[in-house]
């Protein structure tokens, strides 16, 4: 099997994938002429950002009252209290309390829209402000990235296929490659060695991390040797890895056939991997889309980008 | 991090029951795990240690070795499992009980599930990375856990470690100190 035309799907944080959820907002209708004064008071006392609804527009044309505008007051469900408080506030600011009427509850999106399609759907509930997070998060892959993904995944598939003949009936057959994208150098390429070594934890991801750590310790040993003994090997290692970096896989790319399991995903957090590309879902134990989403788990101190690579239909 | 360990462990109401092993036995093996943690401390590694016990006998020991190996995945549990598998088949883990000073991280908690470990006793919680209750509950439907044994000792040695790390930092760089503090395992 060899990949020809491929496409990708970034595995995104919940913000990008969540469906519409609404909250109650308290609104009232105001005369357009008085709007400026009213908005000034409202935004100083009840700021949209403070109420966690900075993603909503404050004002829209009223559908219920012709020629009036509907304005968001707050997110309280107690309409009569809100009405009382606002009228009091208006009185203190010399605004006629008749300028505002019909305090009522209305629905709006609870969360900001992160994608255009969320925005197009959710703004119908109540008008929203849209910030394009897609480009901000830089989750788009360039043509070059995609070409590289195809190249490395094809190498992984080839190596896994070869391993099949060496280890027959291996239900764990897999191959992982870790690449430094700044040099395009392969730092580790490993198959799943659970059967070969009779060791249930020798997954290809763990084996790759081990290989890279050995490059680091070797390099350190060579570095401490006499300068005269500087070998070609050392020079070669020097160009491949930077052992001064604090974490093993910082900014590295990982290509693998199967979605890494939970253990391997957390090992990648501990190693500070940059990006992960994979082909197949791991239904039973996958840590990126199947069971957990470890790469975006908010409580963890490192997050990484994940791309699921698909064959173009 | 010290704060986090403390807060988390104070807030937790561990119900310590003694279904399988009696308190004396549990504390005896937990002391062995602490000896491993001390060895890690002496080697300037994050002081976490563990022992695997089969039929009341220790068959594997391990402690954190992430600095020495330059491999952030070389936690006490994985070190000990590798040691055991040199002399035993993987099936032996199904009959083993693990005593570890700190709640296994997500990686180790998942590894223990893959090994089908029978039971895990741990000392203090691992608020940052814990896979047996703190962040995930990876033991659910797989292995039993009990926590809180020699918890104070487990926390004390971690705290001692962070104080030393901070003192030894040549220039008190705020950021690097913070990173260290949060890297409990
Ligand atoms: Zn794995
Ligand atoms: Zn661990």
């Amino acid at each position: 099997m060899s990949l020809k035309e491929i496409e990708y799907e970034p595995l995104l944080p919940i913000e990008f994938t969540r469906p519409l959820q609404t909250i109650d907002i308290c609104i009232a209708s105001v005369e357009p002429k008085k709007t400026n004064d009213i908005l000034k008071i409202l935004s100083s006392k009840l700021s949209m950002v403070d109420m966690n609804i900075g993603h909503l527009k404050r004002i829209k044309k009223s559908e219920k009252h012709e020629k009036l505008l509907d304005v968001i007051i707050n997110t309280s469900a107690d309409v009569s209290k809100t009405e009382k408080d606002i009228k009091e506030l208006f009185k203190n600011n010399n605004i006629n309390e008749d300028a505002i009427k019909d305090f009522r509850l209305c629905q709006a999106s609870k969360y900001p829209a992160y994608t255009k399609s969320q925005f197009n759907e959710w703004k119908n509930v109540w008008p929203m402000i849209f910030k394009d997070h897609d480009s901000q998060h830089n989750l788009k892959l360039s043509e070059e990235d995609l070409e590289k993904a195809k190249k490395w995944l094809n190498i992984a598939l080839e190596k896994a296929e070869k391993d099949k003949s060496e280890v027959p009936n291996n239900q764990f057959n897999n191959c992982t490659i870790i690449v430094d994208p700044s040099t395009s150098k392969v730092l580790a390429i490993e198959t799943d060695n659970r059967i070969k070594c009779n060791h249930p934890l020798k997954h290809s991801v763990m084996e790759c991390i081990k290989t890279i750590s050995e490059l680091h310790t070797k390099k350190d040993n060579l570095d401490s040797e006499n300068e005269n003994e500087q070998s070609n090997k050392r020079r070669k290692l020097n160009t491949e890895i930077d052992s001064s970096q604090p974490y093993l896989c910082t900014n590295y790319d990982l290509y693998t056939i199967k979605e890494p399991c939970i253990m391997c995903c957390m090992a990648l957090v501990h190693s500070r991997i940059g990006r992960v590309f994979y082909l197949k879902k791991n239904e039973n134990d996958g840590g990126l889309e199947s069971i957990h989403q470890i790469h975006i788990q908010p409580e963890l101190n490192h997050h990484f980008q994940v791309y699921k690579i698909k064959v173009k239909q | 991090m010290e704060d986090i360990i403390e807060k988390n462990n104070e807030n937790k109401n561990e119900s310590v029951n003694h279904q399988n092993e009696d308190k004396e036995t549990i504390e005896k093996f937990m002391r062995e795990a602490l000896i491993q943690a001390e060895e890690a401390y002496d080697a300037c590694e994050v002081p976490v240690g563990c022992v695997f016990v089969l039929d009341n006998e220790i068959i594997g020991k391990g402690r954190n070795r992430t600095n020495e190996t330059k491999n952030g995945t070389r936690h006490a549990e994985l070190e000990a499992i590798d040691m055991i598998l040199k002399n035993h088949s993987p099936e032996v883990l199904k009959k083993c009980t693990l005593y570890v000073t700190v709640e296994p991280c997500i990686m180790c908690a998942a590894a223990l599930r893959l090994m089908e470990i029978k039971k895990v006793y741990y000392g203090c919680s691992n608020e940052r990375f814990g896979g047996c209750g703190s962040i995930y509950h990876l033991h659910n439907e797989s292995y039993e856990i009990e926590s809180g044994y020699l918890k104070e000792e487990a926390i004390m040695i971690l705290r001692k470690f962070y104080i030393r790390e901070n003192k030894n930092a040549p220039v008190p760089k705020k950021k690097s100190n913070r990173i260290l503090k949060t890297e409990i395992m």
Side-chain angles (χ1 to χ4, degrees), chain A residues 124-310:
Chain A
N124 297 322
V125 184
W126 181 275
M128 295 175 75
I129 295 158
F130 182 58
K131 237 183 14 201
D132 191 354
H133 285 83
D134 271 354
S135 49
Q136 198 183 319
H137 279 239
N138 205 12
L139 290 160
K140 288 197 177 79
L141 289 179
S142 65
E143 279 301 316
E144 199 194 340
D145 275 336
L146 215 53
E147 271 309 303
K148 276 186 187 161
K150 190 167 79 181
K151 175 182 144 191
W152 296 122
L153 285 169
N154 273 327
I155 292 172
L157 285 166
E158 217 173 280
K159 175 110 180 171
E161 198 57 46
K162 208 176 135 229
D163 192 60
K164 250 183 216 166
S165 54
E166 284 165 24
V167 191
N169 304 321
N170 180 2
Q171 72 268 40
F172 305 119
N173 178 267
N174 192 9
C175 177
T176 300
I177 302 177
I178 294 182
V179 179
D180 180 350
S182 67
T183 59
S184 280
K185 277 246 159 68
V186 174
L187 301 173
I189 173 164
E190 300 290 343
T191 54
D192 187 290
N193 293 331
R194 273 176 263 194
I195 304 282
K196 212 184 293 172
C197 303
N198 193 23
H199 191 310
L201 306 182
K202 288 202 179 292
H203 302 191
S204 54
V205 170
M206 300 300 277
E207 296 287 78
C208 277
I209 293 172
K210 187 167 167 243
T211 300
I212 296 178
S213 73
E214 284 165 0
L215 284 176
H216 280 248
T217 45
K218 250 186 243 158
K219 178 176 182 286
D220 271 14
N221 291 340
L222 287 165
D223 279 349
S224 56
E225 274 173 24
N226 193 316
E227 277 294 306
N228 297 333
E229 287 167 34
Q230 194 180 45
S231 61
N232 286 334
K233 202 175 169 193
R234 175 183 164 182
R235 239 173 272 136
K236 189 169 160 261
L237 280 166
N238 265 335
T239 60
E240 277 172 9
I241 53 160
D242 172 12
S243 69
S244 67
Q245 81 178 23
Y247 294 104
L248 204 60
C249 298
T250 305
N251 293 330
Y252 292 167
D253 287 344
L254 181 144
Y255 300 89
T256 191
I257 299 169
K258 280 182 205 153
E259 176 190 0
C261 76
I262 292 168
M263 170 183 72
C264 290
C265 289
M266 193 59 197
L268 292 172
V269 172
H270 286 315
S271 309
R272 305 292 191 273
I273 195 76
R275 302 188 293 180
V276 169
F277 302 77
Y278 71 94
L279 281 169
K280 292 179 196 159
K281 193 171 174 178
N282 173 358
E283 303 268 356
N284 298 326
D285 196 21
L288 303 176
E289 65 165 320
S290 302
I291 310 294
H292 290 295
Q293 291 194 290
I294 290 174
H295 61 300
I296 46 174
Q297 165 63 38
E299 290 178 76
L300 294 177
N301 59 349
H302 174 70
H303 295 150
F304 51 91
Q305 294 177 4
V306 176
Y307 298 92
K308 191 175 184 181
I309 300 295
K310 297 164 165 182

Side-chain angles (χ1 to χ4, degrees), chain B residues 4-185:
Chain B
I4 294 167
I5 301 170
E6 207 164 347
K7 207 181 347 158
N8 191 49
N9 283 292
E10 273 168 8
N11 289 349
K12 261 194 192 141
N13 257 328
E14 283 108 346
S15 56
V16 175
N17 61 60
H18 317 125
Q19 256 177 323
N20 302 328
E21 289 84 9
D22 58 45
K23 192 164 185 261
E24 209 175 306
T25 310
I26 297 164
E27 291 196 351
K28 179 182 87 185
F29 288 123
M30 205 51 115
R31 288 234 176 265
E32 293 291 334
L34 272 166
I35 290 172
Q36 291 296 306
E38 269 155 30
E39 195 187 301
Y41 177 87
D42 292 339
C44 293
E45 301 273 4
V46 177
V48 179
C50 73
V51 296
F52 283 80
V53 173
L54 173 70
D55 300 331
N56 216 24
E57 206 179 297
I58 293 173
I59 63 160
K61 299 175 182 187
R63 51 100 166 162
N64 209 308
R65 235 175 250 277
T66 56
N67 290 333
E68 177 194 326
T69 58
K70 298 197 175 282
N71 181 344
T73 72
R74 296 315 295 167
H75 290 182
E77 298 91 323
L78 300 195
E79 284 282 316
I81 290 171
D82 280 356
M83 177 186 163
I84 293 166
L85 293 190
K86 277 185 185 143
N87 309 308
H88 298 84
S89 89
E91 282 70 37
V92 77
L93 270 294
K94 295 180 188 173
K95 292 179 271 172
C96 278
T97 300
L98 166 66
Y99 297 83
V100 56
T101 56
V102 181
E103 176 190 355
C105 77
I106 292 166
M107 172 185 73
C108 294
L112 293 166
R113 193 164 74 173
L114 290 168
M115 300 306 303
E116 297 176 60
I117 187 97
K118 194 177 84 187
K119 176 145 193 171
V120 174
Y121 290 97
Y122 65 82
C124 67
S125 296
N126 180 347
E127 173 86 342
R128 269 279 154 151
F129 299 126
C132 295
S134 286
I135 294 181
Y136 293 131
H137 298 78
L138 298 173
H139 57 286
N140 276 358
E141 286 163 43
S142 180
Y143 50 88
E144 265 183 75
I145 56 165
E146 268 183 56
S147 61
Y149 294 95
L150 304 192
K151 182 177 78 178
E152 303 307 326
E153 286 91 332
I155 294 171
M156 276 317 292
I157 191 164
L158 282 170
R159 201 175 294 153
K160 207 168 88 182
F161 173 81
Y162 294 119
I163 290 167
R164 184 183 64 187
E165 290 295 307
N166 291 343
K167 253 194 217 149
N168 290 352
V171 191
K173 273 182 279 175
K174 244 186 183 166
K175 204 174 175 193
S176 68
N177 281 352
R178 199 178 63 223
I179 290 167
L180 258 173
K181 277 188 177 182
T182 57
E183 299 292 305
I184 93 152
M185 51 176 304

